[in-house]
Amino acid sequence: MITNTEFYLTPKGDVMVHTDKGTKKLEFTMRDFVHKLYLMFWDLYPEAMQACDKEYHKFKTLPAVFEFMCARRMIKCNFGSFDNVMDIDHLGNFNFEDVHCVLRGECQLEGIVCRPKLNTTLTEREMQIMELLFEGVPQEDVASACALSIETVRSHKRNSLKKLGLHSMAEFNTYARQKNLFNK
């Protein structure tokens, strides 16, 4: 998971990545970072990523370039200024900005890639993890039972809460009982 990251665009249109380790120009050679970012976008904004998939399909035979193109497009359309609000905060949440775009009103991907809709459907894995947490299983035991790292369990929990617009496990437990989510 990526945290504490600020993106901004240069006058030439380059994407800069600022973290506590410094500032770098986003390059397709930053494979691990780009791949994690790509997966984060896919998990939370699949409609936007499907549009990027169609837009950059000609690069699919070059996975590193393809993922870079998609991630860069999401950044360019949703982040732009170097400001005091981290674009990806310490919890891995995205803080989108209203980006000035010369194609506003003309772009076919407006409202799809820019200002994307959050996926509010939990994946099968997220449901599995949230059910175990709902049942009171400690996160460490969930990680062990699902053959995942504790950080992956925390990431699934965080994404699940975000997708549902909830802020805590207490809120989730109430939601799950009200919706009879686990038929209990």
Side-chain angles (χ1 to χ4, degrees):
M1 179 180 61
I2 299 171
T3 60
N4 296 323
T5 303
E6 177 73 12
F7 300 109
Y8 64 94
L9 305 178
T10 67
K12 291 183 177 181
D14 293 327
V15 173
M16 303 303 291
V17 180
H18 178 77
T19 66
D20 57 352
K21 295 178 183 174
T23 304
K24 295 181 182 178
K25 178 181 169 186
L26 184 69
E27 301 278 355
F28 78 91
T29 56
M30 298 168 67
R31 186 73 184 117
D32 187 51
F33 179 82
V34 169
H35 182 69
K36 286 179 185 176
L37 187 60
Y38 175 83
L39 293 177
M40 287 173 71
F41 282 134
W42 255 110
D43 189 39
L44 297 172
Y45 305 98
E47 182 183 1
M49 292 306 287
Q50 286 170 357
C52 287
D53 188 289
K54 288 178 186 170
E55 186 77 8
Y56 301 110
H57 71 278
K58 64 184 174 190
F59 295 104
K60 274 209 162 176
T61 58
L62 304 167
V65 175
F66 174 73
E67 289 183 5
F68 169 78
M69 298 295 286
C70 293
R72 185 180 68 171
R73 177 65 177 263
M74 288 291 290
I75 293 167
K76 282 186 162 193
C77 289
N78 293 292
F79 310 105
S81 304
F82 188 80
D83 56 22
N84 61 356
V85 177
M86 286 291 190
D87 295 328
I88 305 176
D89 68 17
H90 67 287
L91 297 174
N93 296 315
F94 290 106
N95 295 302
F96 292 133
E97 301 169 1
D98 189 23
V99 175
H100 171 74
C101 180
V102 296
L103 297 177
R104 186 80 63 223
E106 297 176 28
C107 180
Q108 298 295 321
L109 300 179
E110 187 172 350
I112 298 169
V113 173
C114 61
R115 296 184 214 99
K117 294 177 191 140
L118 179 67
N119 175 17
T120 57
T121 304
L122 299 185
T123 65
E124 192 174 314
R125 185 61 135 179
E126 288 167 338
M127 285 291 284
Q128 176 190 25
I129 289 167
M130 294 307 285
E131 182 172 10
L132 291 169
L133 294 172
F134 175 79
E135 292 171 354
V137 178
Q139 290 184 33
E140 293 79 13
D141 294 344
V142 172
S144 180
C146 296
L148 299 170
S149 73
I150 186 70
E151 186 53 41
T152 300
V153 169
R154 289 181 182 138
S155 179
H156 281 304
K157 175 184 164 188
R158 188 173 33 256
N159 288 344
S160 297
L161 293 174
K162 183 175 181 171
K163 286 178 177 183
L164 298 171
L166 304 173
H167 301 93
S168 67
M169 277 307 296
E171 284 184 19
F172 177 80
N173 290 341
T174 300
Y175 173 88
R177 277 191 295 281
Q178 288 174 343
K179 303 283 186 189
N180 198 21
L181 203 56
F182 304 117
N183 300 316
K184 301 206 184 262

